[in-house]
Amino acid sequence: MIDSQSNNNHFISESGYLSSILRAPVYEVVQITPLQKMEKISLRFNNIILAKREDMQPVHSFKLRGAYSMISQLSIEEKKRGIVTASAGNHGQGVAFSAKKLGIKSLIVMPVVTTKIKIDAVHRMGGETYLFGSNFDESNKKAIEIAKKNNYIFIPPFDHPSIIAGQGTIAMELLQQDAHIDRIFVPVGGGGLVAGIIVFIKQLMPHIQVIGVEAEDSACLKAALLKGKPVSLSCVGLFAEGVAVKKIGLETFRLCKKYLDDIITVNNDSICSAIKDLFEDVRAISEPSGALALAGMKKYICKKKIKGEKLAHIVSGANVNFHSLRYISERCELGEKQEILLAVMIPEKKGSFLDFCKKIGKKIITELSYRYFHKENACILIGISLANRLNEKKKIIDNLIINKYKVIDLSKDEMAKLHIRYMIGGYPSKNILERLFSFEFPESPLALLKFLKNVSTYWNISLFHYRNYGTDYGRVLTAFHTTKNSPKFEECLNNLGYRFHEETNNPAFCFFLKK
């Protein structure tokens, strides 16, 4: 039995992991999930692409494997004490499910911004919830504190040999289902899943490559590999919240550094595109982190020009907030480079709008916004569907430039895609000195009140736009009418504690909203 009170037991050898994986009692609760061929995308990328469907587990996530692996090995005395963990969703459900199966009291500490659907899921599985902190790291610190104070057993989300061994049972199934795989793509958050897979694969079939995939805005393993040790990211993005971890685990990093073949990062649009691929090919509705490995695989195939190989990826979960599907559907075409978003200036005169549309030709226009603002020129925002992702975008832009249109490509401009496309046409009535900022607000009733109390007392808000995408935080765009000398302005914003970024010189803002 592995010591349940140690988070990083470096004494366990690789052969010890192999034994632990083979003997893991996870099949008392988990299913052997299908390894399913994705026919459409296999044809598209000239490779055999296989999806390991961990979204089909009882808790719709692979996390049940690691949670049950550790909890089931607790001694009778430890089980009587009860267990506590921290989670933003999937791990908490795995712990609650396992604890109920074994007749153990469980407490799941979750961030206060956790969506109701995830809290309810933990309750349905018999767990008690305690909401604390604005992110996973704060919740995790509180859970450890509660464990010490109440003599509970703390169940870590990823950095423990028993957790790693439980997740490693996926690799055992993969080899049993198809021993001729060339590469396996694995999503990376804290590293428990990828560590479990590589420590098993590299001892039995070391020629199979294992590639870790991270979200660009939470790439803690990539940062650790660059520094040679785990480091804490200053902040992480929350779209793929299942992998939104600031710091890779010590033991998971040790195994990744030793065995991982490669790592790749992807952006949110690519993840959205992969979610669409999963739905269209195998009718799976994945959460963002669940489609992360497929997004990385697609990018890696193009980068390395891979053809004729057998590639597997882990669909790690399907606990998606239904309302976030709106955001996903909006972004997936951009992620697949099947749409471009352009800002174009045309003459403000009779017939010029028609002339412009003629220059576009028979392209499918997905979005078009226009508002009169100047007697000589007009600005429009246009989305165009692309049939040929490789060459068509350049041809469209070149054609507009040849015809003397001023064009700005906004396809990769995050602020344009999140806000500006919904706000075309707003100018101040006179020239004013404005500073524009994008914020991430926690989704709580007091977030806006806190914001207004701190800033509106001193500075006039000249623009405010909020859009909820069904995640645990809201995207806010706001402009302030400031003076040239506002010494306390940055100090005030920093004291809010909200993640923010200045966008005053953003080209989309300057093009459409700035006088």
Side-chain angles (χ1 to χ4, degrees):
M1 181 183 294
I2 299 169
D3 177 12
S4 63
Q5 291 300 299
S6 176
N7 286 358
N8 325 291
N9 294 296
H10 292 285
F11 61 82
I12 183 170
S13 65
E14 274 75 343
S15 60
Y17 271 115
L18 186 61
S19 175
S20 295
I21 291 169
L22 292 170
R23 297 167 58 201
V26 299
Y27 295 102
E28 295 172 9
V29 292
V30 306
Q31 300 175 8
I32 297 176
T33 53
L35 183 62
Q36 189 172 6
K37 183 180 179 182
M38 297 181 67
E39 299 285 353
K40 293 179 181 179
I41 199 170
S42 293
L43 185 63
R44 196 165 103 212
F45 282 92
N46 296 311
N47 291 280
I48 296 175
I49 295 178
L50 307 171
K52 180 62 172 166
R53 295 291 303 278
E54 284 299 291
D55 58 303
M56 298 177 71
Q57 292 295 356
V59 299
H60 305 292
S61 165
F62 77 96
K63 285 286 190 176
L64 179 58
R65 294 177 183 266
Y68 192 83
S69 173
M70 180 172 180
I71 296 168
S72 63
Q73 295 184 69
L74 299 177
S75 67
I76 295 175
E77 184 274 330
E78 287 174 324
K79 291 176 181 176
K80 288 180 180 178
R81 286 157 55 184
I83 59 178
V84 62
T85 194
S87 172
N90 291 347
H91 176 63
Q93 293 176 55
V95 168
F97 187 96
S98 301
K100 184 178 182 180
K101 174 76 174 178
L102 297 167
I104 303 170
K105 177 184 176 182
S106 66
L107 175 64
I108 317 299
V109 183
M110 309 179 86
V112 295
V113 295
T114 303
T115 54
K116 188 175 184 294
I117 189 173
K118 296 177 181 178
I119 297 170
D120 290 345
V122 170
H123 290 163
R124 283 198 307 272
M125 293 168 191
E128 180 185 347
T129 58
Y130 174 50
L131 303 183
F132 181 89
S134 60
N135 53 54
F136 166 76
D137 294 275
E138 291 178 10
S139 300
N140 194 55
K141 185 177 179 180
K142 187 66 175 179
I144 294 171
E145 182 184 307
I146 290 172
K148 292 177 180 178
K149 182 178 179 181
N150 297 284
N151 201 30
Y152 293 157
I153 300 297
F154 176 67
I155 307 298
F158 47 80
D159 200 25
H160 190 284
S162 286
I163 301 290
I164 294 168
Q167 320 300 25
T169 57
I170 294 176
M172 180 173 66
E173 290 177 23
L174 278 171
L175 295 186
Q176 291 169 345
Q177 291 167 322
D178 195 328
H180 300 285
I181 295 170
D182 294 295
R183 306 174 205 250
I184 304 170
F185 292 80
V186 188
V188 180
L193 177 59
V194 70
I197 288 175
I198 56 176
V199 78
F200 189 88
I201 293 292
K202 290 303 181 180
Q203 289 181 88
L204 297 183
M205 303 192 77
H207 65 279
I208 297 178
Q209 288 200 348
V210 181
I211 293 93
V213 184
E214 291 189 292
E216 285 182 354
D217 54 9
S218 56
C220 61
L221 175 55
K222 181 180 178 181
L225 291 171
L226 289 172
K227 290 288 186 179
K229 63 179 180 180
V231 292
S232 185
L233 301 177
S234 58
C235 58
V236 294
L238 297 177
F239 174 63
E241 62 180 359
V243 293
V245 177
K246 286 187 175 182
K247 187 177 182 180
I248 197 81
L250 284 172
E251 178 67 350
T252 57
F253 174 70
R254 180 182 75 84
L255 294 171
C256 287
K257 184 179 180 182
K258 186 173 183 179
Y259 291 116
L260 193 65
D261 291 290
D262 209 347
I263 190 167
I264 193 166
T265 62
V266 293
N267 61 26
N268 289 352
D269 287 351
S270 297
I271 295 171
C272 291
S273 173
I275 293 172
K276 180 187 176 187
D277 288 326
L278 281 165
F279 176 76
E280 291 187 341
D281 217 313
V282 297
R283 291 299 185 266
I285 301 178
S286 170
E287 64 186 277
S289 58
L292 182 62
L294 176 58
M297 174 191 287
K298 290 165 60 182
K299 182 176 179 180
Y300 201 82
I301 289 171
C302 296
K303 180 181 178 182
K304 300 291 184 178
K305 296 180 173 56
I306 299 168
K307 288 186 179 180
E309 292 192 6
K310 188 172 285 187
L311 311 172
H313 65 94
I314 313 300
V315 185
S316 60
N319 289 305
V320 62
N321 183 340
F322 179 79
H323 297 292
S324 67
L325 293 176
R326 175 179 60 185
Y327 170 85
I328 292 166
S329 66
E330 289 176 350
R331 301 295 288 263
C332 61
E333 297 298 324
L334 288 166
E336 194 56 45
K337 296 182 174 59
Q338 292 181 339
E339 181 189 30
I340 55 172
L341 190 66
L342 303 175
V344 184
M345 183 174 288
I346 66 174
E348 184 58 81
K349 63 182 182 181
K350 187 176 180 179
S352 62
F353 195 22
L354 177 60
D355 289 341
F356 170 76
C357 291
K358 287 179 178 178
K359 296 295 189 303
I360 295 297
K362 295 181 179 180
K363 308 298 181 188
I364 297 174
I365 296 175
T366 57
E367 180 175 357
L368 198 154
S369 298
Y370 156 78
R371 181 180 174 90
Y372 174 85
F373 80 101
H374 191 275
K375 64 180 181 179
E376 293 182 358
N377 297 305
C379 292
I380 62 173
L381 181 76
I382 184 169
I384 303 172
S385 180
L386 301 178
N388 183 333
R389 294 187 295 273
L390 296 177
N391 302 315
E392 195 171 7
K393 176 181 175 179
K394 186 177 186 302
K395 288 181 179 178
I396 291 171
I397 294 174
D398 287 348
N399 179 55
L400 291 173
I401 293 173
I402 289 171
N403 284 280
K404 303 188 185 308
Y405 290 108
K406 181 179 179 181
V407 182
I408 299 178
D409 182 4
L410 300 177
S411 303
K412 295 182 179 181
D413 191 305
E414 192 69 12
M415 197 185 78
K417 292 182 286 186
L418 279 172
H419 298 289
I420 300 298
R421 68 196 307 177
Y422 307 106
M423 300 171 65
I424 301 305
Y427 275 87
S429 59
K430 59 181 181 179
N431 284 322
I432 57 174
L433 186 62
E434 283 183 305
R435 292 183 66 181
L436 184 75
F437 291 84
S438 59
F439 290 85
E440 289 183 3
F441 276 31
E443 285 291 0
S444 66
L446 298 178
L448 178 58
L449 184 61
K450 177 183 176 183
F451 175 84
L452 294 175
K453 282 183 176 178
N454 277 272
V455 300
S456 63
T457 306
Y458 306 103
W459 297 281
N460 182 47
I461 295 174
S462 55
L463 179 152
F464 191 93
H465 179 249
Y466 163 76
R467 184 170 176 83
N468 186 321
Y469 290 100
T471 58
D472 294 338
Y473 63 102
R475 295 293 185 90
V476 175
L477 184 70
T478 186
F480 301 90
H481 181 194
T482 65
T483 60
K484 291 185 178 179
N485 298 311
S486 298
K488 295 184 178 180
F489 187 71
E490 279 80 8
E491 180 182 343
C492 180
L493 296 186
N494 287 321
N495 289 339
L496 276 171
Y498 297 167
R499 187 178 176 185
F500 69 92
H501 181 71
E502 184 162 5
E503 302 280 6
T504 303
N505 296 318
N506 182 280
F509 172 65
C510 296
F511 202 98
F512 289 109
L513 301 174
K514 193 174 181 180
K515 184 81 171 176

